[in-house]
């Protein structure tokens, strides 16, 4: 039904926000150990993220249902990063450009941090 559809959209969007919050925590840990953020194509979405002596995430989350084929996106800009998801319920709609495999995509939900 239509109500089920909107309920599931809400659950997936909430999961996306939680995923990005958890990835953000792992990025902070990475910064602590390495004094920089990881390079743009380093985050192993869908796989464990670890170095020799540190596990940053046992499994880096992936989008619960990639909306129009857009997975999570992470870009490093030196002392700042951009981490994005495409929300299905486009309440804020402000487009942010995130580059994925050399192509620019627009995302409507992003978080960032700098040092």
């Amino acid at each position: 039904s239509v109500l089920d559809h909107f309920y599931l959209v809400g659950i997936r969007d909430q999961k996306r926000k939680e995923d990005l919050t958890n990835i953000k925590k792992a990025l902070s840990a990475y910064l602590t150990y390495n004094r920089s953020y990881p390079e743009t194509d380093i985050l192993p979405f869908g796989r464990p993220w670890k170095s020799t002596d540190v596990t940053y995430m046992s499994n880096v989350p992936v989008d619960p249902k990639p909306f129009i084929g857009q997975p999570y996106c992470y870009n490093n800009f030196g002392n700042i990063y951009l981490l994005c998801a495409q929300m299905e319920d486009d309440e804020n709609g402000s487009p942010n450009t995130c580059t994925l495999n050399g192509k620019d995509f627009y995302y409507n939900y992003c978080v960032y941090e700098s040092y």
Side-chain angles (χ1 to χ4, degrees):
S1 75
V2 172
L3 283 178
D4 285 343
H5 169 75
F6 286 109
Y7 176 73
L8 292 173
V9 164
I11 287 176
R12 285 192 299 267
D13 281 352
Q14 185 58 40
K15 172 91 169 75
R16 290 178 179 105
K17 288 179 182 178
E18 289 168 12
D19 285 350
L20 264 51
T21 297
N22 290 331
I23 295 169
K24 198 173 170 180
K25 289 176 189 166
L27 286 164
S28 293
Y30 186 96
L31 175 65
T32 300
Y33 284 98
N34 299 280
R35 295 195 291 273
S36 67
Y37 293 120
E39 291 304 311
T40 290
D41 296 322
I42 289 297
L43 279 189
F45 291 104
R47 297 192 316 276
W49 181 24
K50 50 183 128 186
S51 66
T52 314
D53 51 352
V54 181
T55 297
Y56 301 106
M57 295 190 92
S58 58
N59 195 38
V60 181
V62 294
D63 191 293
K65 180 184 179 187
F67 188 61
I68 57 173
Q70 285 185 221
Y72 294 151
C73 187
Y74 165 82
N75 285 177
N76 175 321
F77 299 101
N79 68 335
I80 186 169
Y81 69 78
L82 186 67
L83 179 63
C84 299
Q86 182 68 22
M87 297 293 169
E88 291 174 78
D89 184 12
D90 188 2
E91 73 276 350
N92 56 359
S94 56
N96 299 276
T97 306
C98 195
T99 306
L100 200 56
N101 300 326
K103 286 194 211 148
D104 288 343
F105 291 94
Y106 292 104
Y107 285 85
N108 59 13
Y109 182 80
C110 295
V111 296
Y112 61 89
E113 198 127 273
S114 63
Y115 67 88

